[in-house]
Structure formats: structure tokens, C-alpha cells
Amino acid sequence: MSTEPGRKAAGNGFLTDTWVNLKRWMLKTVRNPFVMTFSLINPVMFLVLFTQVFGGVAGGAISDSVGGSASYVTYLVPAIAIQVALIGATSSGVGLVNDIESGMFEKALVSPMHRGAIFLGKSLSEVLRIVLQVCIILVVGFPMFYLDAGGSLGDYVATGVLGAIGIVCVGVLFAIWFTALSNIVALVTRDQESTMIGVNIVQFPLLFLSSAFLPLDSLPGWVQVVAAFNPVTYGVDAARALMFGRDVMTLIDVTAFGGMWNTLVPAVAVLGALDIALGALAVYFIARSTSAEAR
Amino acid sequence: MCTVSAIDADHLELTYADGTRAVTDVSLSIDEGEFFGFLGSNGAGKTTTIKMLVTLLRPTSGSVRVNGHDVADEPRAVRKSIGYMAQETSIDEELTARENIRYACEAYGVPRDERADRIDQLLDLVDLAGVADKRAKGFSGGMQKRLDVATALVHEPPVVFLDEPTTGLDPKARNRLWDYFERINERGTTVFLTTQYLEEADHLCERISVITDGEIEVSGSPAELKSLVGGDVLEVEFDEPSDDDLERAREVAIDSALVDDPDAVERTEAGLFVTSTEARRHGTDLLVALREAGLTIVGFNVRSPTLDDVFLTVTGEEYEGGDDRADEADVAAATGEAR
């Protein structure tokens, strides 16, 4: 060693600490292309099977809901985008438990890195992954739409490129509350399998008891009640509004903003509030687990 | 002799949420540049103490200053000035050896232009240069441990906490690390080491504290501690002795001129340990007396006391680490280096 001993580490600013952690988690994502691929298999399978099997039957219900000659593909793509975000968020807690089990969590805590940056860096890598995966779903959806309805790109996403970007943003906005939830479960259980099972078990009820696969008014009354309290409904409605460029929300009858904004504004408000609430709860749990209290 | 304290712990106490009192009263004052050893059997409170010193656990009561910073008031200043290696190997298996060390360099803010050299030196030090760009997942337990050591040293901190750093390493790797620990200590780095290898503490540490049941039992240099044993140790081994044979031998030894205190005679599995300042001069008298009492001696040895003897004297229990060591060695031999 060439340098003098007994000096202190320089430490970094908050942004550098965030970047250091973001880099580590991106590297881990790249190292595991399987995780990236396998977490897309389920959603793509849903997209293909649902459109092929239910496309014909669903047609009537969805044209009542979104009007005209809507293809079930365009109806379903926003839902699948939300599903991808949901699955992506699930893996966040699993990653945290892995870090706790491997000792990397403690290693980060005993370093001079800012506590918040450790989590922010990790979360940003998950956001990037979700962005990429939602983009993949949007791209995969188009040839299916083309084969089904034969329309152009403009018929596929009515609001164009900006709308597509909007759908990605909705996916991220939706992912935050579930990311927070999966991290809370991780910190409480501190066990990989429990976290995985815990978050996976709610995935299907969340998807099916919502407006994801069929318009709400074609579903039984109790499902409609549950769906009203299900964040997936708001995520899917927001993404779907961008897909069709029109108001698709049936839960809350807003007319103040005009067109698709009547869906977007309330849905984004609901998701935003949920993100803040669960985010705050996650911060509380993280602070508790990193504050060096005797556990 | 330097008088500045690197670590000052004042009446530390820690009770876990479930009511377990892991540490009841630990006070330490470790000078800058000192090589300090913390000994104790499993569950004695070593790791709990070290976690309080490195800001990972907040003491239930008591205070700690490390490098002049209070761990409760200025945790970040403490963290900047220490290196810590946990007992459980802590590395990211998905990353390569080089990437693991680089992450640590970045976490501690090692300047960019020094990083590449530092990483190479550390890889070399722990003998992982040849597998630097391989993922740590494929490493054996020993290799992972070595990588973990390297990541704790990236910023060359003034105080290094090593919680059983050489457990599970083969003798060659252990000796290399000992050399390195000694080298960084010689250049002024304070080293706080817990270990289950008493010979390791004996070899490296200037001062040792023995902890049992959350309290420091005794402190001193290895030589001072050994003098507590009260002399040299005469080991005698008999030919398949019965329980009665051993009892008879013990009585002979207690009656001999060698010992005043019956506690100086310990029965072992197949013989006796007799501790006496006269063990070298008059040990043969006892051997003759034992033979005359009808016992068949198949082995004997006079040796200086070891820290194992200290442990036995101080705590009244066999040192637990000894068994672990045998197990570890067997496991290491069975699994080999490359998994």
C-alpha cells in the first residue's frame, strides 16, 4: 500500500452515493438477464393467451366501454404494462432481503454512504428496469394489434409517442407504492421466500379484481366494489386513457378536465397519494431498521 | 507509548428487544496504534460489542468514542474513520472480485485516480488476482472470506475492526493476512480483532481482553495473561486409564511437592494437566511417583502456558473455539479450495 494509513475516508455527496448504488444494482440486473426475461414471460403469455382466447367474447363488452371497433389487444396492453410494473416492484423487496442475507446491507450501513442514497440508488435501478419492460410490452403489443386489427401505429396508441411515454410514466407511478410495500414486507419478514410468496400471493387478486381484463360494468357487483379500492384499477385506467385518448374511467365520474384528462387526473391523484402514503411508511421502516437500535 | 485513545468504551450495556442481555458491562480503552484482541467463546458478547463500536447497534446504556467521535452523535464521522469486517462473509456473489472491491472503494470515496491501483494491490494481497474478473458466486468459502477482508481495507482506515477475519481460511492464506494485519498495524493502524483462534491472538495482539457472559473477565498482554495460569504445564498421558486410575493419579499429583493448590491439577481425557512453577525442575519426581502408583505413562510434556490454559483458568471452562477449529479444518480439507 502506497498511501499513508490513518487518514479518513473522503466519503461522497448524496448524489454520488446514489449513483454508486444505482450502478451496483444495474450491474446485478445485467448479470441476471434471466430475471429480466422471466419476469416478462408471464405478462407476455397473458397478453397472447387472453387476446386469443377471450378476444372474441370480450369484444362486445369493450366496445361498449371504450367505443367503436377497439381491438382487445389495445384494451389489454395497458393492463399488461401495469402487470409488468407490479412484478418489477415485487422483486424490489426480494433484492433487499438478498442484501440483508448476504451481509451487503450491513456493509452499506457501516460505510459513510448516506442512508437515503443507498435506497434511492437501488430504487432507481428498479424504475429503469420497469421503464424498459413497459417499453418492451408496448413494442410487443403492436404486431399483435396489427395482426388482429390491421391498424397503424396511430391506431395502436391514439395519443402517439407522448402518450406512450405517458403510459411508461403511469407504470412507474404505479410501481412506487408496490415497491414500497414489497420493501416493507422484506424488512418485516427478513426472509426471501416469505417476501416472494407474500407479494406474489396478492398479485393475481389485484389484477383480476380490477378493470384490467374487462370493463368494470361487465363484472359482478362485489368485484366492482373491490375494484374501486384496488390501485390496479387506477393504474390501468390511466394507461388505457392514454392508449385510447379518451375518458375510460367509470368509477369516478369526472367531467371537469375534458376527454382523457377526466380519467388521468383522478387516477394520477389516487396513485400519487398512495405512493406518498406507502412511501412514507417504507421510509419509517427503513429508518427503523437502519437506526442502529437493538433489534 | 502513545496515549491517544482510538477506542473508548464506557460501561457498555446492550439488551436486545427480546430481553436477552448480550452485553452487561464492557469498558475498553484502546490506544492509537494498538493491536487489540477480543477473546470469548460463542455467545459471550464479542460480536454484539463490536457492532456497538462500529455504529450498527446503539448501546442500551454507556457511551463509545471512536477516533474522538461519539458513535451516537457523529456516526458518519465514525464510519469514515473505520473499516469493519463482519463475522459472516459479506460480499455480493453476483459481482466479480474486482467489482466487489470497486464498490467498496466508491462507497468510501477512494479517489478515482487511486482506485485501480488500490484494487490491484488488494487483489494481490488476498491472492485473488487470478480470479479478479470471475464472479464471487463460484468462489470457495475461503476465497469469499479473503475478498471480504479486502473490501474492509479499501480506504486504509485508522481503526480496523475484524470480527473473526481468518475463520475458515487455510493456513497459507491465514499467514498472509496475519502478515498484512501486522504490517498495517506497524504503520500506525489500530486493529481490533476478535478471534476464536487463541494462537492467533497470541501471535498478533499486544493486549487481550477475555469476555464471558457479556462482561470483561480479564485484560492484559498475552504474557501477563499467561502468568495468571501460575507456571508451566506438565501434561501426562496414561495407557487407556479407567476412571479410578485417573482419580488415583490426580490424588498422587495433588500430594506431590509440585502443587499447593488442588485446582492446579486438571483431569483430561487420558491423563493430567499439572500447572506449577516447578514443573520443569521437579516434573520427573511426579512421573516417578505416578509410575510407583501403578500407572503406565505413555506420554509426557512440559510446556509454557497457552491462552487456552488462560481461558480455562479464567472462565473455568474449556475453550469452545478449539472444537470449532477442528471442524473448520475438516470442512476445509473436505471441500478443498475450489468449489
mmCIF file of all heavy atoms in Angstrom, chain B residues 232 234 236 253 256-259 274 276-290 302:
data_model
loop_
_atom_site.group_PDB
_atom_site.id
_atom_site.type_symbol
_atom_site.label_atom_id
_atom_site.label_comp_id
_atom_site.label_asym_id
_atom_site.label_seq_id
_atom_site.Cartn_x
_atom_site.Cartn_y
_atom_site.Cartn_z
ATOM 1 N N ASP B 232 4.326 -23.362 34.449
ATOM 2 C CA ASP B 232 4.320 -24.176 33.243
ATOM 3 C C ASP B 232 3.343 -25.333 33.409
ATOM 4 O O ASP B 232 2.897 -25.639 34.514
ATOM 5 C CB ASP B 232 5.734 -24.699 32.966
ATOM 6 C CG ASP B 232 6.683 -23.555 32.614
ATOM 7 O OD1 ASP B 232 6.243 -22.632 31.904
ATOM 8 O OD2 ASP B 232 7.837 -23.578 33.066
ATOM 9 N N LEU B 234 2.589 -29.338 32.956
ATOM 10 C CA LEU B 234 3.085 -30.691 32.711
ATOM 11 C C LEU B 234 1.904 -31.530 32.258
ATOM 12 O O LEU B 234 0.897 -31.650 32.962
ATOM 13 C CB LEU B 234 3.686 -31.276 34.001
ATOM 14 C CG LEU B 234 4.052 -32.768 33.962
ATOM 15 C CD1 LEU B 234 5.146 -33.052 32.943
ATOM 16 C CD2 LEU B 234 4.481 -33.255 35.339
ATOM 17 N N VAL B 236 0.553 -35.164 31.213
ATOM 18 C CA VAL B 236 0.883 -36.592 31.328
ATOM 19 C C VAL B 236 -0.244 -37.390 30.695
ATOM 20 O O VAL B 236 -1.428 -37.083 30.876
ATOM 21 C CB VAL B 236 1.018 -37.028 32.809
ATOM 22 C CG1 VAL B 236 1.602 -38.430 32.901
ATOM 23 C CG2 VAL B 236 1.878 -36.046 33.580
ATOM 24 N N ALA B 253 -0.823 -36.539 42.274
ATOM 25 C CA ALA B 253 -0.292 -35.235 41.840
ATOM 26 C C ALA B 253 -0.546 -34.161 42.893
ATOM 27 O O ALA B 253 0.322 -33.325 43.176
ATOM 28 C CB ALA B 253 -0.910 -34.837 40.498
ATOM 29 N N SER B 256 1.853 -34.374 45.636
ATOM 30 C CA SER B 256 3.263 -34.184 45.302
ATOM 31 C C SER B 256 3.722 -32.789 45.715
ATOM 32 O O SER B 256 2.897 -31.907 45.989
ATOM 33 C CB SER B 256 3.485 -34.369 43.802
ATOM 34 O OG SER B 256 2.994 -33.250 43.105
ATOM 35 N N ALA B 257 5.050 -32.596 45.735
ATOM 36 C CA ALA B 257 5.636 -31.313 46.131
ATOM 37 C C ALA B 257 5.394 -30.244 45.069
ATOM 38 O O ALA B 257 5.646 -29.065 45.301
ATOM 39 C CB ALA B 257 7.135 -31.479 46.366
ATOM 40 N N LEU B 258 4.915 -30.689 43.892
ATOM 41 C CA LEU B 258 4.766 -29.783 42.755
ATOM 42 C C LEU B 258 3.692 -28.713 42.976
ATOM 43 O O LEU B 258 3.831 -27.571 42.553
ATOM 44 C CB LEU B 258 4.384 -30.622 41.519
ATOM 45 C CG LEU B 258 5.202 -30.450 40.247
ATOM 46 C CD1 LEU B 258 6.674 -30.497 40.519
ATOM 47 C CD2 LEU B 258 4.798 -31.528 39.251
ATOM 48 N N VAL B 259 2.596 -29.111 43.630
ATOM 49 C CA VAL B 259 1.462 -28.184 43.723
ATOM 50 C C VAL B 259 1.031 -27.945 45.166
ATOM 51 O O VAL B 259 1.137 -28.825 46.025
ATOM 52 C CB VAL B 259 0.248 -28.710 42.914
ATOM 53 C CG1 VAL B 259 0.593 -28.776 41.454
ATOM 54 C CG2 VAL B 259 -0.228 -30.041 43.431
ATOM 55 N N VAL B 274 -0.901 -30.660 34.897
ATOM 56 C CA VAL B 274 -0.478 -30.148 36.192
ATOM 57 C C VAL B 274 0.228 -28.816 35.961
ATOM 58 O O VAL B 274 1.211 -28.750 35.241
ATOM 59 C CB VAL B 274 0.475 -31.140 36.907
ATOM 60 C CG1 VAL B 274 0.871 -30.598 38.281
ATOM 61 C CG2 VAL B 274 -0.179 -32.500 37.026
ATOM 62 N N SER B 276 2.380 -25.768 37.369
ATOM 63 C CA SER B 276 3.274 -25.493 38.503
ATOM 64 C C SER B 276 4.477 -24.698 38.048
ATOM 65 O O SER B 276 4.981 -24.880 36.943
ATOM 66 C CB SER B 276 3.749 -26.810 39.116
ATOM 67 O OG SER B 276 4.831 -26.573 39.992
ATOM 68 N N THR B 277 4.943 -23.807 38.918
ATOM 69 C CA THR B 277 6.169 -23.079 38.608
ATOM 70 C C THR B 277 7.370 -24.025 38.656
ATOM 71 O O THR B 277 8.434 -23.737 38.113
ATOM 72 C CB THR B 277 6.393 -21.947 39.636
ATOM 73 O OG1 THR B 277 6.235 -22.498 40.940
ATOM 74 C CG2 THR B 277 5.394 -20.829 39.444
ATOM 75 N N GLU B 278 7.174 -25.168 39.308
ATOM 76 C CA GLU B 278 8.262 -26.137 39.457
ATOM 77 C C GLU B 278 8.180 -27.257 38.433
ATOM 78 O O GLU B 278 8.877 -28.275 38.560
ATOM 79 C CB GLU B 278 8.207 -26.755 40.878
ATOM 80 C CG GLU B 278 8.363 -25.731 41.987
ATOM 81 C CD GLU B 278 9.727 -25.078 41.956
ATOM 82 O OE1 GLU B 278 10.743 -25.805 41.891
ATOM 83 O OE2 GLU B 278 9.777 -23.828 41.957
ATOM 84 N N ALA B 279 7.280 -27.089 37.436
ATOM 85 C CA ALA B 279 7.014 -28.209 36.526
ATOM 86 C C ALA B 279 8.268 -28.672 35.795
ATOM 87 O O ALA B 279 8.464 -29.877 35.565
ATOM 88 C CB ALA B 279 5.931 -27.822 35.521
ATOM 89 N N ARG B 280 9.145 -27.764 35.430
ATOM 90 C CA ARG B 280 10.338 -28.173 34.682
ATOM 91 C C ARG B 280 11.364 -28.853 35.586
ATOM 92 O O ARG B 280 11.948 -29.873 35.239
ATOM 93 C CB ARG B 280 10.966 -26.951 33.994
ATOM 94 C CG ARG B 280 10.127 -26.478 32.817
ATOM 95 C CD ARG B 280 10.737 -25.301 32.091
ATOM 96 N NE ARG B 280 9.726 -24.664 31.250
ATOM 97 C CZ ARG B 280 9.380 -25.113 30.038
ATOM 98 N NH1 ARG B 280 9.995 -26.153 29.503
ATOM 99 N NH2 ARG B 280 8.424 -24.515 29.358
ATOM 100 N N ARG B 281 11.547 -28.253 36.797
ATOM 101 C CA ARG B 281 12.590 -28.746 37.693
ATOM 102 C C ARG B 281 12.195 -30.093 38.331
ATOM 103 O O ARG B 281 12.992 -31.020 38.386
ATOM 104 C CB ARG B 281 12.838 -27.709 38.783
ATOM 105 C CG ARG B 281 14.137 -27.879 39.541
ATOM 106 C CD ARG B 281 14.231 -26.845 40.638
ATOM 107 N NE ARG B 281 14.181 -25.480 40.114
ATOM 108 C CZ ARG B 281 15.282 -24.783 39.828
ATOM 109 N NH1 ARG B 281 16.464 -25.297 40.052
ATOM 110 N NH2 ARG B 281 15.178 -23.573 39.356
ATOM 111 N N HIS B 282 10.944 -30.181 38.812
ATOM 112 C CA HIS B 282 10.570 -31.356 39.593
ATOM 113 C C HIS B 282 9.508 -32.232 38.954
ATOM 114 O O HIS B 282 8.924 -33.089 39.610
ATOM 115 C CB HIS B 282 10.111 -30.915 40.993
ATOM 116 C CG HIS B 282 11.212 -30.287 41.788
ATOM 117 N ND1 HIS B 282 12.374 -30.978 42.131
ATOM 118 C CD2 HIS B 282 11.356 -29.039 42.283
ATOM 119 C CE1 HIS B 282 13.171 -30.171 42.796
ATOM 120 N NE2 HIS B 282 12.592 -28.976 42.907
ATOM 121 N N GLY B 283 9.282 -31.993 37.650
ATOM 122 C CA GLY B 283 8.279 -32.773 36.950
ATOM 123 C C GLY B 283 8.577 -34.262 36.973
ATOM 124 O O GLY B 283 7.677 -35.101 37.106
ATOM 125 N N THR B 284 9.861 -34.619 36.874
ATOM 126 C CA THR B 284 10.228 -36.045 36.833
ATOM 127 C C THR B 284 9.855 -36.762 38.122
ATOM 128 O O THR B 284 9.491 -37.930 38.103
ATOM 129 C CB THR B 284 11.733 -36.203 36.584
ATOM 130 O OG1 THR B 284 12.434 -35.318 37.461
ATOM 131 C CG2 THR B 284 12.105 -35.903 35.145
ATOM 132 N N ASP B 285 9.933 -36.035 39.280
ATOM 133 C CA ASP B 285 9.559 -36.654 40.560
ATOM 134 C C ASP B 285 8.126 -37.147 40.513
ATOM 135 O O ASP B 285 7.806 -38.239 40.990
ATOM 136 C CB ASP B 285 9.690 -35.642 41.713
ATOM 137 C CG ASP B 285 11.124 -35.175 41.892
ATOM 138 O OD1 ASP B 285 12.013 -35.833 41.292
ATOM 139 O OD2 ASP B 285 11.346 -34.171 42.593
ATOM 140 N N LEU B 286 7.266 -36.294 39.912
ATOM 141 C CA LEU B 286 5.862 -36.676 39.826
ATOM 142 C C LEU B 286 5.682 -37.890 38.912
ATOM 143 O O LEU B 286 4.927 -38.814 39.224
ATOM 144 C CB LEU B 286 5.017 -35.493 39.300
ATOM 145 C CG LEU B 286 3.535 -35.792 39.060
ATOM 146 C CD1 LEU B 286 2.846 -36.256 40.338
ATOM 147 C CD2 LEU B 286 2.818 -34.602 38.465
ATOM 148 N N LEU B 287 6.434 -37.904 37.823
ATOM 149 C CA LEU B 287 6.323 -39.031 36.898
ATOM 150 C C LEU B 287 6.701 -40.337 37.600
ATOM 151 O O LEU B 287 6.024 -41.363 37.446
ATOM 152 C CB LEU B 287 7.223 -38.806 35.672
ATOM 153 C CG LEU B 287 6.832 -37.622 34.774
ATOM 154 C CD1 LEU B 287 7.817 -37.465 33.624
ATOM 155 C CD2 LEU B 287 5.415 -37.789 34.224
ATOM 156 N N VAL B 288 7.778 -40.278 38.401
ATOM 157 C CA VAL B 288 8.202 -41.471 39.137
ATOM 158 C C VAL B 288 7.117 -41.900 40.118
ATOM 159 O O VAL B 288 6.744 -43.075 40.192
ATOM 160 C CB VAL B 288 9.539 -41.198 39.885
ATOM 161 C CG1 VAL B 288 9.857 -42.323 40.840
ATOM 162 C CG2 VAL B 288 10.670 -40.995 38.889
ATOM 163 N N ALA B 289 6.566 -40.902 40.845
ATOM 164 C CA ALA B 289 5.529 -41.203 41.826
ATOM 165 C C ALA B 289 4.326 -41.853 41.165
ATOM 166 O O ALA B 289 3.725 -42.788 41.706
ATOM 167 C CB ALA B 289 5.112 -39.922 42.551
ATOM 168 N N LEU B 290 3.986 -41.354 39.958
ATOM 169 C CA LEU B 290 2.839 -41.898 39.247
ATOM 170 C C LEU B 290 3.098 -43.347 38.827
ATOM 171 O O LEU B 290 2.226 -44.213 38.918
ATOM 172 C CB LEU B 290 2.526 -41.052 38.004
ATOM 173 C CG LEU B 290 1.873 -39.684 38.279
ATOM 174 C CD1 LEU B 290 1.875 -38.822 37.016
ATOM 175 C CD2 LEU B 290 0.445 -39.852 38.789
ATOM 176 N N VAL B 302 6.389 -31.027 29.063
ATOM 177 C CA VAL B 302 6.296 -29.789 29.831
ATOM 178 C C VAL B 302 6.287 -28.636 28.854
ATOM 179 O O VAL B 302 7.123 -28.581 27.961
ATOM 180 C CB VAL B 302 7.495 -29.627 30.792
ATOM 181 C CG1 VAL B 302 7.321 -28.357 31.625
ATOM 182 C CG2 VAL B 302 7.628 -30.823 31.691
#
